[in-house]
Amino acid sequence: FRQRPIALAAIAACCRGDQTELEQHLRAIPFRSPYRDLRFILKALSVVGSDPAQAAGLIGRAVVAGPFESLAAVVRAAILPGSRWLAAMPALDDEGRQLLLDLKGCPEERRSVLFDLARLGSTPPPAKVVELLLRRHRGLPASVATLCRRLLPYAQQRMSEYQGAFGPLTEGEQECIAALAAEHQGDSRLSRAHWLRAAEWYSPPEKEPLQAALILRRLFEVFVGDADRADLEDLDEECIDWLRRSLALDPDDLATYLKVIRIHRQGRDLRAARAMVDRALARFANDPAVLLEAVEVALAGNAFKKAVTLAKRLLELDPINSRVRALIGQAHVSHARKQIRAKRPDAAAKELALAEQWLISADERSVVKLLRGLSATDQTASALLSDVVRELGGQLLAAFHLLLECARVGIPAPATLRRAGIDLSGKPNASEVLAVAHALNTLREEPRALRTLLDSLRAPLRRAAGEDFSESERVSICEALLRWDERSLLQAYADVGLKRWPARPIFVYFTTFARHGPRAYFVISVREETALARALDQAQDDGDQRTALRIRGLIEPPERFHSCPTGDSDDWGDLEDAFADLGNGLPLDPRAVLEMMLGMA
């Protein structure tokens, strides 16, 4: 304790601001003294206002959580940039807070409010903050009103107090606050109603139509999400109308035009998509994104010549756009298919020649050659088709593309397979199966056409199920088969995967889905349910939330099953009446009855 009087004298000199005496006392504290850290802390305190960088270097030399940590914590808070020092106050004790406010030169009239806020903790409940600010608002800056208004959705019951303190809120502001409060409470129906009333209030030109447009876009994002990933078949027309109304209020929002066009295009409402494209082009005539969507819409409607014209216009703006070049090539390929179906080989050959000028990838050019072979009537057809088999790297992938193109142009497949010299009686190798799986994953075809195609490939694909695929390769194959609901093949590949990697939850999911389908919870055995439960735990431990959700979907019925009436309710009577109304219309086959009931869910 011999240095204690020196340390106390140094602290006193620091408080007085006597730099000379402070240096003198600090030099008297030895390097190995228990008061060593005090030297750095007091030096940092003396320069924190004038040279924060030097203070940061000094305080960095003090031991964290040392004997003088409460004082060091004040210095660390004081050197934080901007207003971040306020967020550090809750971690300090009252003496440390007082010293920090002294260092920051905080006015006396605001200190008590900051003390009260700090006592609420590092993450104070918003309602408590509103209560405090409304109680102590006098003498605080005008920005407090804005802060309180932003926090009102968490303390909606204090809206009248807010208006008494800071003045009235407009009807639109009150509706927005009520909408956010309903969102916070998880009441989506009430939130939606308040947002719509707010949008209606802001819509007139003399008010804030841009605010209304923003509200309508937010409604779409909250209730629909990402338009590119949403289930467009079930998309409520009212939700699309929100975006249309937002464009009427804010016609310069390019992103919303593109979103509405994609929604209509992916939902196959091409008439509406074309109308929106015309509106967008009238306002953004040379925007590459709008032109690209215009090309996509034209292709979706088989307007191939228009698609090519638009794509060339886009290339003038963006000459190296590889996607546009591919779209032009695919437009010519699509038009060639149309000519082959119409039995016009010369016109088809002309379109295919144009396509070759734009297509770059080897696979795309092989498809062009394949179509040449399908449209040719002379002996060159067999030679062209044989070349395609070699170029595509195997008979299985060549058969896939040939069967697909035959379905697209309306040509009988068996005879064409023989002309191409394709024999599917053998066992394909692993690389061929992976190539077909990749093609399946990228295919956007009608399920009925694909089912016919897979009927021809099912046997050779099944023979290759035992090939030596890596884990990721086998998962990729299973995902492709799952996507197209090819459950028999999925089971063949998943069973091998489960034997090879028994601890991997994804293969437990694949095998169960392949065996029982998406409503496995009706029919799985106790053993299967136990295996799924173990796989679910493992997936959660691995952080694989996607697999965990998929497995849970096989174990647990949808939410509507959990809300079935109990035995104490009269609702069962209604259910019995509904089935009684079916009368003699039920099929006599018990399996048919069960399948019908499962379909009804």
Side-chain angles (χ1 to χ4, degrees):
F1 295 101
R2 283 178 297 175
Q3 286 90 40
R4 186 170 185 274
I6 301 173
L8 290 173
I11 292 171
C14 183
C15 292
R16 292 194 305 273
D18 189 337
Q19 196 69 24
T20 303
E21 188 175 343
L22 173 63
E23 289 288 343
Q24 179 182 345
H25 291 308
L26 292 181
R27 280 196 297 270
I29 298 175
F31 180 75
R32 297 185 180 278
S33 168
Y35 297 98
R36 170 183 176 273
D37 283 350
L38 194 60
R39 297 190 309 171
F40 306 124
I41 296 170
L42 292 179
K43 280 185 180 181
L45 271 173
S46 66
V47 298
V48 71
S50 58
D51 192 346
Q54 184 185 357
L58 289 166
I59 201 65
R61 299 172 67 182
V63 175
V64 177
F68 305 104
E69 177 57 29
S70 57
L71 188 56
V74 175
V75 180
R76 294 192 190 99
I79 61 177
L80 289 172
S83 60
R84 286 173 56 191
W85 61 275
L86 288 166
M89 280 190 65
L92 305 176
D93 55 24
D94 281 352
E95 290 78 7
R97 293 167 188 160
Q98 187 66 50
L99 176 56
L100 180 58
L101 293 175
D102 288 339
L103 292 171
K104 290 297 183 180
C106 181
E108 285 295 333
E109 63 270 17
R110 296 185 184 174
R111 293 194 176 204
S112 59
V113 176
L114 292 176
F115 261 80
D116 289 343
L117 280 171
R119 290 181 182 124
L120 291 177
S122 57
T123 54
K128 291 287 186 183
V129 175
V130 173
E131 179 185 353
L132 173 63
L133 294 178
L134 288 175
R135 191 173 68 246
R136 308 286 297 277
H137 72 278
R138 290 183 178 82
L140 294 177
S143 57
V144 168
T146 304
L147 173 60
C148 279
R149 189 165 65 251
R150 289 177 178 173
L151 295 177
L152 271 180
Y154 300 93
Q156 192 183 0
Q157 70 278 9
R158 298 195 176 274
M159 193 180 295
S160 59
E161 292 178 53
Y162 174 91
Q163 295 184 91
F166 301 111
L169 293 165
T170 67
E171 183 183 337
E173 289 173 326
Q174 292 183 48
E175 291 291 352
C176 288
I177 290 168
L180 289 168
E183 275 187 26
H184 175 62
Q185 293 159 10
D187 191 338
S188 59
R189 181 193 59 79
L190 184 60
S191 168
R192 177 173 175 159
H194 282 300
W195 280 127
L196 287 172
R197 283 198 288 270
E200 195 69 32
W201 190 88
Y202 282 114
S203 291
E206 67 274 10
K207 291 184 179 175
E208 298 179 57
L210 289 180
Q211 180 76 359
L214 288 171
I215 289 171
L216 291 167
R217 288 174 209 149
R218 188 181 190 281
L219 262 174
F220 186 90
E221 291 171 3
V222 170
F223 288 95
V224 177
D226 187 347
D228 292 330
R229 298 182 182 181
D231 187 352
L232 297 173
E233 292 182 2
D234 297 331
L235 190 58
D236 193 334
E237 183 66 23
E238 183 188 7
C239 297
I240 305 175
D241 192 53
W242 294 338
L243 295 180
R244 296 195 199 100
R245 286 170 57 192
S246 80
L247 284 175
L249 296 163
D250 179 17
D252 292 322
D253 186 62
L254 173 61
T256 302
Y257 278 109
L258 297 174
K259 188 177 292 185
V260 175
I261 293 168
R262 287 173 192 143
I263 288 171
H264 288 315
R265 174 168 58 82
Q266 293 170 21
R268 304 300 299 174
D269 187 353
L270 297 182
R271 183 177 180 181
R274 282 191 288 267
M276 192 56 65
V277 163
D278 291 341
R279 285 181 58 187
L281 285 173
R283 193 166 287 271
F284 308 100
N286 293 318
D287 186 89
V290 174
L291 285 169
L292 186 57
E293 282 299 325
V295 173
E296 296 273 20
V297 170
L299 286 175
N302 295 330
F304 305 119
K305 290 183 178 179
K306 184 176 181 180
V308 171
T309 301
L310 288 165
K312 288 180 177 178
R313 182 173 154 192
L314 177 52
L315 277 179
E316 292 174 4
L317 300 170
D318 186 6
I320 61 171
N321 193 319
S322 58
R323 184 181 175 192
V324 178
R325 298 183 68 86
L327 282 174
I328 295 176
Q330 289 301 329
H332 285 298
V333 168
S334 298
H335 203 198
R337 292 189 185 109
K338 187 176 180 180
Q339 301 297 348
I340 295 173
R341 280 197 302 272
K343 310 296 185 187
R344 297 167 62 187
D346 293 340
K350 182 178 178 181
E351 291 295 330
L352 292 171
L354 291 170
E356 284 185 316
Q357 298 175 17
W358 297 100
L359 297 176
I360 298 173
S361 76
D363 286 349
E364 289 173 328
R365 296 177 74 86
S366 293
V367 169
V368 170
K369 185 178 288 189
L370 192 158
L371 288 170
R372 285 187 186 280
L374 293 179
S375 63
T377 56
D378 53 21
Q379 294 182 352
T380 60
S382 297
L384 286 168
L385 293 174
S386 298
D387 285 347
V388 168
V389 173
R390 286 193 297 272
E391 289 175 5
L392 289 173
Q395 298 212 352
L396 186 69
L397 184 60
F400 175 89
H401 284 290
L402 191 147
L403 290 165
L404 183 60
E405 294 303 333
C406 283
R408 285 169 170 170
V409 300
I411 292 177
T416 310
L417 286 172
R418 288 193 296 272
R419 286 173 67 194
I422 293 177
D423 180 10
L424 295 176
S425 61
K427 184 175 80 169
N429 60 40
S431 62
E432 289 181 277
V433 176
L434 286 169
V436 169
H438 176 72
L440 282 171
N441 272 326
T442 56
L443 190 63
R444 296 182 181 275
E445 204 73 19
E446 289 296 325
R448 187 178 300 174
L450 185 73
R451 182 65 53 204
T452 304
L453 183 155
L454 285 173
D455 286 342
S456 301
L457 299 183
R458 194 173 287 112
L461 283 171
R462 186 182 296 277
R463 286 193 289 273
E467 284 290 301
D468 188 21
F469 299 102
S470 69
E471 181 184 343
S472 61
E473 290 171 343
R474 192 168 287 273
V475 168
S476 177
I477 295 167
C478 289
E479 291 286 5
L481 297 171
L482 178 69
R483 180 188 172 203
W484 294 104
D485 197 29
E486 184 54 46
R487 284 167 51 187
S488 64
L489 282 176
L490 174 61
Q491 183 160 2
Y493 281 84
D495 283 347
V496 176
L498 188 60
K499 290 176 184 176
R500 174 70 176 78
W501 297 283
R504 290 288 283 116
I506 188 64
F507 288 113
V508 178
Y509 168 77
F510 285 144
T511 54
T512 309
F513 187 98
R515 197 174 298 119
H516 300 299
R519 295 193 181 97
Y521 41 76
F522 278 124
V523 292
I524 54 174
S525 65
V526 174
R527 180 180 59 80
E528 289 172 320
E529 188 171 1
T530 302
L532 283 170
R534 282 199 301 267
L536 175 60
D537 292 339
Q538 184 63 51
Q540 290 173 331
D541 291 343
D542 296 341
D544 186 357
Q545 293 303 319
R546 181 169 183 254
T547 300
L549 286 171
R550 295 165 102 179
I551 293 173
R552 189 175 284 113
L554 294 181
I555 299 175
E556 301 173 1
E559 190 63 32
R560 60 180 178 272
F561 288 104
H562 296 298
S563 58
C564 284
T566 64
D568 298 329
S569 170
D570 292 336
D571 292 342
W572 283 115
D574 297 335
L575 189 61
E576 290 168 359
D577 291 344
F579 277 96
D581 289 341
L582 292 173
N584 295 325
L586 284 172
L588 297 177
D589 179 12
R591 181 181 180 86
V593 175
L594 178 60
E595 289 180 349
M596 181 197 71
M597 294 176 69
L598 291 178
M600 291 168 59

